[in-house]
Amino acid sequence: MISLQKPRLSIILAARNADAESLDGLIATIEAWGKAAKRHHALVEMLVVDWNGPVERKPLHLALKDADAQIDLRILSVPSSLHDFFPQAKSLPLIETVAWNAGVRRATGEYVLVTRPSVLPTPELAAFVLCEEMNPASLYRTDCYEIDAGTMDEKMNVKRIHLARETLDLENVQVDYRFRRTFDVWGEPFPAAFGYLLSHLILLVRESLADLLKKENRWRIASQMGKVLRRDIEQAWRLFRTRRAAWLFFRSLHVNAAGDFLLASRDRWVNWHGLPQSSEHVFLMDALFVMAVTASGSVREKRLAWPLSMLRHSRLETQSPKDTDLKALTPFEAAKLADGLSKTGPSLCFNDENWGLGELELMEWMIGQNRKAA
């Protein structure tokens, strides 16, 4: 029998059964949230949008039928025939923002979390999301740490890894693994706002003080920091005439890898009509979303700190502009677009009434319910 009680949380995943590795990452996410929901006696539903599944592999409603979900698992099917109607179809096998919106629109939980397969919550984050009182006027964001092969000496990292192994049963996590932020301060800030970059530079200096004191490292690190700061200041100066866009760019918003964790009340998601959907741009739409909703005044960003964080296997890669011939937004273009969108104020709305494939009836399967719904 299907429970009529409103779920505390709806979790939205956009996925496709491309290969065994991507399926394993999806199952790991489903089972991690399922164990957390069981531990805290929380009512949770997970909507997996099976987008453009390869014909040579099982659809997700069959591939996941034996998963130890322990939560209400709903599989929505978007076939390749529908995917082919989108302008980006030839370049991208998965159009993430539209898939997310399809799940958000059909969610029934009090709060809705948009995240990705292979991204798992720490026990503390799961406890917060499932048990603690949250503010419906907030957009919750957090860091995502990659579990990466390598050496590691810091005791705190050892503690974090043991915690993950004991509570999430991450079989592939070994004690000699290390954590690192998905944000690489020495690389291109994609998609990092200047304020977020600066805060992480300060954190890096504090954590790397011992290395800075070594003569052989001092000038190298200082030079790299200087290049990053100079590049962003020079580019941000171009936005001077659009002062609000410049303010958005310099504001310390957590826009890096935003699609790993976007948590807000369902009412807010419905008012926004989900995330921005665009036929011209695909990448950085999640960053644009964070900038626009906070600048409009409809929500305030609430940044959660460790240990309220997410964990991700770095071996499981996500789509990037380098993999396609599509033009990606720059952080500065995203700031300018967000500025224009946010001028509507708290009534901000990204899409029309058919957002999230609302004009269509998608096939839906309930895993564990032994029935199929239209």
Side-chain angles (χ1 to χ4, degrees):
M1 181 179 294
I2 300 175
S3 173
L4 298 179
Q5 186 179 354
K6 187 176 183 179
R8 155 80 174 191
L9 179 69
S10 296
I11 303 169
I12 313 300
L13 296 172
R16 59 195 303 268
N17 188 11
D19 50 45
E21 195 170 52
S22 60
L23 181 61
D24 288 344
L26 176 59
I27 292 174
T29 301
I30 293 170
E31 294 185 348
W33 280 107
K35 291 174 184 177
K38 182 179 180 180
R39 185 183 308 121
H40 298 291
H41 307 286
L43 187 57
V44 177
E45 68 171 4
M46 180 174 285
L47 289 86
V48 178
V49 181
D50 184 5
W51 188 280
N52 183 33
V55 294
E56 67 275 9
R57 293 185 61 83
K58 290 182 179 180
L60 287 179
H61 70 273
L62 296 178
L64 296 174
K65 66 179 182 179
D66 295 325
D68 185 18
Q70 303 186 59
I71 52 177
D72 292 334
L73 184 58
R74 300 166 56 190
I75 311 296
L76 303 174
S77 176
V78 178
S80 56
S81 57
L82 181 55
H83 168 78
D84 291 339
F85 278 102
F86 288 86
Q88 312 96 319
K90 292 184 179 179
S91 300
L92 286 175
L94 171 61
I95 304 175
E96 207 168 32
T97 52
V98 183
W100 278 333
N101 283 350
V104 169
R105 182 174 185 127
R106 293 159 179 83
T108 62
E110 180 183 1
Y111 285 86
V112 175
L113 169 63
V114 168
T115 184
R116 290 187 170 108
S118 79
V119 178
L120 315 176
T122 61
E124 293 85 356
L125 178 64
F128 172 82
V129 172
L130 298 178
C131 303
E132 298 297 325
E133 183 177 354
M134 293 190 289
N135 186 351
S138 293
L139 172 69
Y140 291 88
R141 295 280 295 115
T142 190
D143 282 326
C144 182
Y145 291 84
E146 289 188 1
I147 304 169
D148 195 17
T151 59
M152 178 275 303
D153 299 321
E154 297 181 36
K155 293 181 180 179
M156 180 58 71
N157 283 343
V158 174
K159 181 179 178 181
R160 294 174 185 176
I161 292 165
H162 278 298
L163 188 63
R165 293 183 68 197
E166 291 170 3
T167 56
L168 295 179
D169 297 329
L170 301 180
E171 296 178 358
N172 295 323
V173 179
Q174 305 297 326
V175 177
D176 61 348
Y177 277 31
R178 62 184 171 85
F179 279 77
R180 63 180 174 85
R181 281 182 175 81
T182 54
F183 180 88
D184 180 5
V185 75
W186 305 131
E188 185 70 20
F190 177 78
F194 181 85
Y196 181 65
L197 173 68
L198 185 59
S199 67
H200 277 68
L201 279 171
I202 294 171
L203 178 65
L204 182 74
V205 171
R206 190 167 67 240
E207 292 180 346
S208 306
L209 188 58
D211 288 334
L212 282 170
L213 294 177
K214 296 178 182 178
K215 187 175 181 180
E216 62 271 21
N217 292 335
R218 192 179 306 162
W219 292 110
R220 177 181 61 83
I221 294 177
S223 174
Q224 288 171 324
M225 286 183 178
K227 288 179 181 178
V228 171
L229 289 171
R230 184 173 65 251
R231 177 193 60 209
D232 283 358
I233 290 173
E234 287 175 351
Q235 294 186 46
W237 180 254
R238 301 172 190 171
L239 297 177
F240 179 74
R241 291 185 179 180
T242 56
R243 296 181 184 179
R244 187 173 173 84
W247 169 77
L248 274 175
F249 182 73
F250 277 90
R251 193 177 176 196
S252 182
L253 291 173
H254 193 333
V255 296
N256 183 54
D260 286 346
F261 189 90
L262 290 169
L263 174 63
S265 72
R266 183 182 181 276
D267 291 342
R268 288 296 197 279
W269 282 109
V270 171
N271 290 342
W272 297 324
H273 285 188
L275 290 96
Q277 297 176 189
S278 171
S279 59
E280 298 180 11
H281 302 288
V282 176
F283 303 101
L284 282 194
M285 299 305 288
D286 49 0
L288 185 155
F289 166 81
V290 174
M291 291 181 181
V293 296
T294 52
S296 70
S298 56
V299 289
R300 297 186 65 179
E301 183 192 53
K302 174 65 176 176
R303 191 180 306 177
L304 305 175
W306 179 267
L308 306 182
S309 304
M310 300 289 276
L311 312 174
R312 180 171 66 187
H313 287 284
S314 59
R315 60 187 176 85
L316 297 175
E317 298 181 354
T318 57
Q319 299 176 123
S320 74
K322 297 177 182 178
D323 303 326
T324 74
D325 55 0
L326 295 173
K327 180 181 180 295
L329 283 172
T330 68
F332 311 97
E333 290 171 336
K336 292 177 73 173
L337 286 173
D339 170 49
L341 290 167
S342 67
K343 289 178 179 177
T344 57
S347 60
L348 170 68
C349 181
F350 291 111
N351 307 297
D352 62 24
E353 65 277 4
N354 291 324
W355 66 282
L357 306 179
E359 73 278 21
L360 302 175
E361 289 189 4
L362 302 180
M363 293 299 296
E364 179 178 332
W365 285 264
M366 305 285 290
I367 301 296
Q369 300 290 340
N370 196 29
R371 74 178 185 89
K372 182 172 71 175

